[in-house]
Amino acid sequence: TKALELQNKMGGLFDITMDCEDGAQTGKEKEHAEMIVRIQNSDLNVHKMSGVRIHDYSNAHWKLDVDIVVPGAGEKIAYITIPKPTKAAQVAEMISYIQDVAKKANIKREIPIHVLVETHGALLDVEAIAALPWMQVLDFGLMDFISGHHGAIPASAMRSPGQFEHELLRQAKATVVAAALAHGVIPAHNVTLDLKNQYQTYSDASRARNGFGFLRMWSIYPTQIQAILDVMTPDYSEVKVACEILLAAQDAEWGPIQHAGELHDRATYRYFWELVQKAKITGQKLPDEVVKRFFS
């Protein structure tokens, strides 16, 4: 509830993942899932930007999670996160089960699926996973991925600078991002372990965004959220230029134009259009004329 209150205070600029997996007490999985349904349907869930992480494929409770959460809050769930798959076939089976339960509950919308890539098998199958139906996000799970290497990757790589410099981790992160973007899926970076050092979170988010192409990042503590948003929000000066170019392009019926001595056409228009959309989503104030023409 504190997370939802913060989400509402900030105007819905970040998602919240309600956790049926690590967050549930052993033996109380059913009660925990039912509690999540109540919160999903509460007045606090104003923005409907709260997802649910279910148990992994090897855990017998994952179907129970789906049986409770989807019929109970399927119209409001922002997404369902699937953790720890070891191959694409497991994810495909879980998505199929979610679809069947949604259909039986007369839920007609697609429920976006997020998958945590945190095992050797998931990384090997990441292209196939990214191509599955209802996919929205591929999350990189650093700690479980390192643990799966049985000591070959040192514990120091769980934090910076090691997480960005160890070759196995560099390859894994780049592979996840490339697979996600190739299939129109959003790549999300792992957490920063340092809970209260906002500069460390900002630095990690900056390297993840600018060095690897991650478009989102997990937070595990409230003070991390603003630092991540600051990095993921487009630069204001670039957004200003983008707005000028799009307005001129529309005036030219989307033919080529010259702006500040540079040529622009449909290729750059696509880039700047996505940039302006990101700016709007992250809460930047856009010129009135841009809002009127493109978002009214």
Side-chain angles (χ1 to χ4, degrees):
T1 57
K2 288 182 179 179
L4 282 166
E5 288 167 357
L6 180 61
Q7 185 190 65
N8 293 337
K9 181 179 179 181
M10 295 180 69
L13 295 182
F14 65 93
D15 286 332
I16 296 166
T17 302
M18 301 181 181
D19 193 9
C20 281
E21 189 200 17
D22 295 339
Q25 292 181 340
T26 302
K28 294 187 177 180
E29 290 84 359
K30 181 175 181 291
E31 292 84 354
H32 192 85
E34 291 170 343
M35 177 267 292
I36 283 176
V37 169
R38 289 196 299 274
I39 298 177
Q40 284 277 349
N41 290 316
S42 73
D43 292 338
L44 275 175
N45 190 16
V46 174
H47 297 281
K48 297 180 182 178
M49 290 176 61
S50 300
V52 178
R53 180 166 72 168
I54 61 176
H55 284 84
D56 69 275
Y57 183 83
S58 67
N59 190 300
H61 290 286
W62 76 263
K63 287 186 177 181
L64 176 66
D65 294 339
V66 174
D67 292 341
I68 293 172
V69 170
V70 171
E75 297 292 353
K76 293 187 176 182
I77 298 171
Y79 52 88
I80 292 177
T81 298
I82 296 173
K84 300 179 182 67
T86 58
K87 52 187 176 182
Q90 294 175 350
V91 183
E93 182 181 334
M94 296 176 81
I95 292 175
S96 179
Y97 188 81
I98 291 167
Q99 291 174 326
D100 288 343
V101 173
K103 184 177 181 180
K104 290 175 183 175
N106 201 31
I107 295 168
K108 294 181 173 57
R109 65 180 284 250
E110 290 188 5
I111 300 174
I113 302 295
H114 296 193
V115 173
L116 273 158
V117 179
E118 48 192 342
T119 66
H120 292 289
L123 186 64
L124 288 171
D125 276 3
V126 69
E127 287 278 353
I129 291 172
L132 290 170
W134 292 17
M135 285 295 305
Q136 184 185 62
V137 172
L138 288 183
D139 301 300
F140 183 66
L142 179 68
M143 268 66 82
D144 279 292
F145 188 74
I146 290 176
S147 297
H149 281 74
H150 307 292
I153 301 176
S156 60
M158 291 188 179
R159 55 189 63 82
S160 297
Q163 68 160 317
F164 295 110
E165 295 177 354
H166 194 287
E167 193 59 33
L168 288 174
L169 297 179
R170 289 178 60 84
Q171 289 180 19
K173 291 184 181 188
T175 299
V176 169
V177 172
L181 295 177
H183 292 277
V185 174
I186 300 164
H189 193 257
N190 55 269
V191 302
T192 292
L193 289 181
D194 192 326
L195 298 180
K196 299 184 180 181
N197 184 346
Q198 294 183 51
Y199 175 76
Q200 187 61 63
T201 303
Y202 183 92
S203 176
D204 288 352
S206 182
R207 292 194 71 174
R209 175 67 183 87
N210 299 315
F212 289 84
F214 284 96
L215 300 179
R216 304 192 76 185
M217 179 169 162
W218 281 77
S219 64
I220 51 173
Y221 199 74
T223 56
Q224 295 181 333
I225 294 171
Q226 190 60 56
I228 295 170
L229 286 173
D230 289 344
V231 171
M232 299 299 171
T233 299
D235 180 79
Y236 176 77
S237 60
E238 190 174 359
V239 173
K240 183 175 181 291
V241 171
C243 290
E244 293 170 356
I245 290 172
L246 289 175
L247 290 172
Q250 190 182 57
D251 290 341
E253 300 292 337
W254 303 107
I257 64 166
Q258 182 183 132
H259 181 270
E262 295 180 343
L263 173 70
H264 292 279
D265 58 18
R266 289 176 186 268
T268 56
Y269 299 160
R270 287 195 296 270
Y271 173 86
F272 289 121
W273 170 233
E274 290 189 354
L275 184 73
V276 169
Q277 290 181 86
K278 290 172 187 174
K280 185 176 187 297
I281 289 169
T282 51
Q284 282 196 36
K285 180 174 173 53
L286 299 174
D288 291 341
E289 186 65 18
V290 170
V291 174
K292 178 183 176 181
R293 291 203 199 182
F294 301 116
F295 297 103
S296 63

